[in-house]
Amino acid sequence: MMSYEAYMSQVIQPMRDELTRNGFQELRTAEEVEQTLPNAKGLTLVVVNSVCGCAAGLARPAVVHSLKHENRPDNIYTVFAGQDKEATAKAREYFEGYPPSSPSFAIMKDGKIMTMIERHQIENNDLQTIANLLTNAYDTYK
């Protein structure tokens, strides 16, 4: 019989792949987050990925679409809430002033949080509106 962890790993792999095949680097441990986020130069986008329907139907497609914008982040990373728990918790330490939210998008500049696009802004909007929230943030903080 397959373990729960093995089953979940198999189920969520396509959710990970949707971002990594579009250039996102997964940060899967707290150490990777610590080595990466505070030292990232320029504009950084961190996707807090999730298994929920709004991540699949809205967040991931919108963020991939947003990368076609002329002003795009210098660095694109992802952590997976509920799966890579330590990495996600560590990443959230850098999102000062924002409550945990997944899915969500953190916009950082030179290792500091600039803004977040939180779940409540994702789940009640359409794909183009979410992509516009992202591209407006890229333009504002680039």
Side-chain angles (χ1 to χ4, degrees):
M1 191 165 103
M2 186 185 291
S3 74
Y4 175 76
E5 288 77 20
Y7 171 77
M8 284 306 294
S9 178
Q10 197 173 19
V11 166
I12 65 156
Q13 192 59 50
M15 300 172 199
R16 292 181 184 277
D17 294 345
E18 188 173 353
L19 293 178
T20 57
R21 78 170 165 258
N22 283 287
F24 284 84
Q25 179 185 336
E26 282 191 298
L27 303 176
R28 297 197 64 174
T29 67
E31 295 74 26
E32 287 176 345
V33 171
E34 279 181 312
Q35 291 164 5
T36 305
L37 293 188
N39 301 312
K41 298 294 176 223
L43 193 66
T44 298
L45 168 63
V46 182
V47 176
V48 180
N49 202 351
S50 167
V51 297
C52 74
C54 68
L58 296 170
R60 289 190 300 268
V63 77
V64 168
H65 180 71
S66 78
L67 297 177
K68 296 177 177 127
H69 190 61
E70 68 175 324
N71 266 341
R72 54 172 284 165
D74 302 299
N75 314 289
I76 53 175
Y77 302 111
T78 180
V79 294
F80 208 118
Q83 301 302 312
D84 301 326
K85 291 180 175 78
E86 294 81 14
T88 304
K90 181 54 74 178
R92 286 177 170 151
E93 290 177 19
Y94 295 98
F95 308 158
E96 215 172 292
Y98 294 94
S101 176
S102 60
S104 62
F105 309 113
I107 308 291
M108 302 176 74
K109 181 131 189 189
D110 298 329
K112 303 277 184 252
I113 187 72
M114 296 288 115
T115 193
M116 290 280 299
I117 297 167
E118 300 170 88
R119 180 187 176 114
H120 68 89
Q121 295 167 283
I122 296 168
E123 63 186 347
N124 296 316
N125 275 316
D126 60 56
L127 193 142
Q128 189 58 55
T129 301
I130 299 161
N132 290 346
L133 289 171
L134 285 158
T135 58
N136 289 342
Y138 305 160
D139 291 342
T140 300
Y141 299 106
K142 188 73 172 156

